[in-house]
């Protein structure tokens, strides 16, 4: 499968969900791909502790300098203030540098994220079901 076909397939897959937000999360210090994975895993654990039923796909993107990454997310069922609260509380960055846009299917955020899948970055797809007591 060639690169264009693969990116289109991932974009179509991500586009199957009606997301709430397309977000970009910036760190206040340079971060490696491995460290980004650790921080994104911690963010997901935090969101799960809030007893949320949510879906998220995230992908890291290298800065132009090639020395650090930041993350892009598509989320459903997550209040973005929770993400910003976690980001600030964990001293990862400043919420004013995080960008959360209401997801609009025709804007192509799902394809924007898909283009990074084959560029030696890290990504993950997460979905949770609400806990039944």
């Amino acid at each position: 499968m060639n690169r264009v076909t693969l990116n289109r397939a991932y974009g179509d897959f991500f586009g199957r969900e009606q997301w709430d937000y397309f977000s970009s999360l910036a760190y206040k210090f340079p971060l490696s791909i491995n460290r980004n994975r650790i921080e994104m895993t911690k963010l997901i654990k935090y969101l799960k502790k809030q007893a949320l039923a949510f879906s998220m796909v995230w992908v890291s993107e290298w800065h132009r300098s090639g020395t650090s990454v930041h993350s892009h997310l598509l989320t459903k069922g997550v209040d973005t203030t929770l993400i910003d609260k976690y980001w600030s509380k964990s001293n990862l960055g400043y919420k004013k540098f995080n960008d959360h846009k209401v997801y609009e299917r025709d804007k192509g955020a799902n394809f924007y994220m898909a283009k990074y899948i084959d560029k030696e970055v890290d990504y993950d797809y997460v979905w949770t079901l609400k806990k039944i007591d």
Side-chain angles (χ1 to χ4, degrees):
M1 184 178 287
N2 69 37
R3 177 186 231 178
V4 173
T5 304
L6 181 63
N7 287 350
R8 171 60 81 177
Y10 273 113
D12 288 341
F13 176 72
F14 295 156
R16 290 181 185 168
E17 184 76 57
Q18 181 51 50
W19 303 102
D20 297 327
Y21 293 98
F22 170 58
S23 301
S24 298
L25 304 179
Y27 293 100
K28 68 179 185 180
F29 45 83
L31 213 70
S32 70
I33 287 220
N34 291 340
R35 185 61 192 205
N36 183 68
R37 162 62 72 170
I38 291 166
E39 297 304 338
M40 293 305 294
T41 299
K42 288 179 183 178
L43 170 62
I44 291 163
K45 275 185 178 178
Y46 170 78
L47 294 173
K48 285 180 178 179
K49 282 184 182 177
Q50 307 308 309
L52 296 176
F54 69 96
S55 298
M56 174 192 301
V57 60
W58 64 265
V59 62
S60 56
E61 177 185 0
W62 284 102
H63 290 294
R64 289 183 183 157
S65 67
T67 60
S68 184
V69 298
H70 59 276
S71 292
H72 297 289
L73 298 79
L74 292 171
T75 59
K76 181 177 180 174
V78 176
D79 181 349
T80 58
T81 58
L82 283 174
I83 294 171
D84 289 339
K85 179 181 173 185
Y86 175 82
W87 217 247
S88 296
K89 181 184 82 152
S90 300
N91 202 27
L92 297 173
Y94 307 104
K95 69 179 181 178
K96 69 180 180 179
F97 295 119
N98 290 344
D99 184 31
H100 306 286
K101 294 185 181 351
V102 172
Y103 179 75
E104 296 178 55
R105 185 181 300 268
D106 62 333
K107 299 273 181 158
N110 49 316
F111 291 106
Y112 180 84
M113 292 190 43
K115 75 180 185 175
Y116 292 101
I117 298 297
D118 63 347
K119 292 189 178 183
E120 298 181 24
V121 297
D122 196 12
Y123 61 93
D124 211 345
Y125 186 72
V126 179
W127 64 95
T128 62
L129 300 174
K130 196 169 208 166
K131 295 177 185 173
I132 301 172
D133 295 326

